[in-house]
Amino acid sequence: MTKLRVKDYLILGSLFFGMLFGAGNLIFPVHLGQLAGHHWLPAAGGFLLSGGSCHF
């Protein structure tokens, strides 16, 4: 097994950050809340329980 360099850690870190905190996870909750209107609380709960919009 080869030892990872600092450059490798930076690349892996940016890939994981993009996977977990991509634009969809920042934009979709706001759009979901706007569509839900007065029912935003159950919509937010469902979004959190479902794991958001993570794409694995």
Side-chain angles (χ1 to χ4, degrees):
M1 186 161 148
T2 60
K3 187 172 172 113
L4 295 177
R5 299 173 300 188
V6 174
K7 180 180 176 182
D8 298 328
Y9 281 113
L10 289 174
I11 292 172
L12 287 172
S14 67
L15 290 173
F16 282 125
F17 180 81
M19 181 177 67
L20 298 175
F21 300 105
N25 287 337
L26 299 175
I27 295 169
F28 185 71
V30 175
H31 183 63
L32 179 68
Q34 289 175 342
L35 291 176
H38 290 103
H39 304 287
W40 67 270
L41 189 59
F47 180 77
L48 292 173
L49 285 175
S50 68
S53 61
C54 292
H55 305 285
F56 293 107

